[in-house]
């Protein structure tokens, strides 16, 4: 077994361990009772505090995301969020054997350092999984139907998501979420906030998240954030989006 495969295996085993400790009611049941949506993240997608190995090479997403950006983004920016959230967890007595989602759901009770880095770590762990060198993935029939019902068409959805991502002022993220009204919504959040946080204006389970911090695209695209977003659609791993949608 290659080292990276072994690390990945161990990482998944650790998360599987988390899964055995937590029994969660279904999202539907939680929504019916008005319970916090943030506790309803399906167990399969629970996130740990350690950075997981990338499942592809830094060059895999060329020419849409360049090798150097992937290397720096993963090994410097994202790695720092993981390191810092673990530091904050020690300082604030957070049990890191439990999922990060537990912290995000009550992030208002923690420090700014926790908010920035718990968000940053979660968002990037999700983001890497949402990218793929396979440019042929598609929304499932079920997800496509829901997108059409919510936005009119897949093209209109992409247009609205692109607008949210393009117009997010400064640094932040654009999201497709399954919200507390059991509908799909497009939102954006500042900095490293995300829709699982109790302080989010609109809360929900993230299906798609797009990093629009300049560090995600500046080396290749400079000021052309719109071109980065256009290319994001080519490498979006719809299989992962479908899996997340099917899990709720
Ligand atoms: Mn980033």
């Amino acid at each position: 077994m290659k080292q990276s495969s072994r690390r990945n295996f161990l990482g998944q085993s650790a998360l599987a361990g988390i899964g055995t400790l937590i029994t969660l009611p279904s999202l539907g049941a939680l929504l019916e009772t008005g319970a916090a949506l943030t506790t309803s993240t399906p167990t399969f997608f629970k996130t740990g505090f350690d950075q997981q190995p990338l499942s592809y090479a830094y060059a895999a997403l060329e020419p849409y995301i360049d090798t150097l950006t992937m290397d720096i983004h993963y090994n410097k920016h994202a790695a720092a969020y993981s390191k810092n959230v673990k530091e904050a967890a020690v300082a604030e007595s957070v049990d890191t054997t439990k999922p990060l989602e537990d912290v995000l759901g009550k992030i208002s009770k923690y420090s700014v350092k926790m908010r920035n880095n718990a968000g940053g770590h979660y968002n990037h762990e999700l983001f890497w999984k949402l990218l793929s060198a396979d440019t042929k993935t598609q929304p499932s029939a079920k997800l496509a139907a829901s997108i059409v019902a919510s936005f009119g068409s897949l093209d209109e959805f992409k247009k609205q998501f692109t607008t949210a991502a393009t117009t997010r002022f400064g640094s932040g993220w654009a999201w497709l979420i399954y919200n507390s009204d059991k509908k799909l919504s497009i939102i954006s959040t500042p900095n490293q906030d995300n829709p699982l946080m109790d302080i989010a204006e609109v809360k929900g389970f993230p299906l798609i998240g797009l990093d629009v911090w300049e560090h995600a695209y500046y080396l290749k695209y400079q000021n052309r954030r719109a071109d980065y977003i256009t290319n994001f659609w080519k490498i979006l791993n719809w299989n992962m989006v479908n899996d997340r949608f099917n899990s709720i």
Side-chain angles (χ1 to χ4, degrees):
M1 192 182 280
K2 287 191 305 186
Q3 192 185 7
S4 61
S5 302
R6 179 170 166 75
R7 284 207 315 272
N8 195 34
F9 172 78
L10 291 171
Q12 286 172 356
S13 298
L15 286 178
I18 287 173
T20 60
L21 293 173
I22 298 164
T23 306
L24 292 168
S26 72
L27 177 67
L30 283 162
L31 292 172
E32 293 295 335
T33 60
L37 183 70
T38 49
T39 61
S40 65
T41 301
T43 305
F44 179 73
F45 293 111
K46 291 284 182 178
T47 306
F49 286 70
D50 289 326
Q51 191 178 34
Q52 298 299 303
L54 273 183
S55 63
Y56 42 80
Y58 303 129
L61 305 176
E62 292 270 12
Y64 309 115
I65 297 180
D66 60 288
T67 306
L68 184 59
T69 294
M70 278 303 300
D71 186 348
I72 294 173
H73 199 179
Y74 178 83
N75 287 308
K76 303 297 183 189
H77 296 280
Y81 295 124
S82 176
K83 173 177 173 285
N84 291 334
V85 72
K86 287 188 281 190
E87 278 180 13
V90 170
E92 298 174 51
S93 302
V94 166
D95 182 353
T96 57
T97 66
K98 293 189 172 164
L100 185 61
E101 283 83 349
D102 291 1
V103 172
L104 296 173
K106 48 188 177 184
I107 201 71
S108 60
K109 300 185 189 322
Y110 296 100
S111 67
V112 171
K113 177 173 178 174
M114 184 74 87
R115 174 174 169 173
N116 289 338
N117 291 286
H121 176 58
Y122 177 90
N123 296 348
H124 288 85
E125 289 289 290
L126 172 60
F127 186 54
W128 311 133
K129 294 186 179 75
L130 286 169
L131 302 176
S132 168
D134 179 358
T135 57
K136 300 282 191 290
T137 67
Q138 295 292 331
S140 66
K142 180 182 160 189
L143 177 58
S146 194
I147 286 174
V148 169
S150 299
F151 307 106
S153 68
L154 183 60
D155 282 348
E156 181 61 26
F157 157 68
K158 287 184 178 177
K159 192 173 147 194
Q160 290 183 25
F161 187 98
T162 297
T163 298
T166 308
T167 57
R168 163 47 56 189
F169 184 75
S171 298
W173 291 71
W175 305 94
L176 173 67
I177 63 169
Y178 185 76
N179 69 27
S180 49
D181 294 328
K182 304 183 186 180
K183 289 179 179 156
L184 298 179
S185 296
I186 295 165
I187 62 163
S188 74
T189 54
N191 305 314
Q192 295 294 356
D193 287 357
N194 70 43
L196 292 175
M197 292 180 171
D198 61 353
I199 46 85
E201 274 181 51
V202 181
K203 298 177 197 50
F205 178 64
L207 300 174
I208 299 175
L210 173 59
D211 189 344
V212 293
W213 283 58
E214 284 189 346
H215 70 222
Y217 62 85
Y218 200 84
L219 290 178
K220 180 177 177 71
Y221 296 94
Q222 294 84 48
N223 60 315
R224 302 186 308 279
R225 185 192 285 189
D227 292 350
Y228 160 71
I229 297 165
T230 297
N231 283 338
F232 165 69
W233 296 115
K234 298 173 184 163
I235 49 172
L236 173 60
N237 180 6
W238 280 105
N239 294 338
M240 176 58 61
V241 185
N242 295 335
D243 286 348
R244 294 178 72 82
F245 187 60
N246 285 334
S247 74
I248 54 180

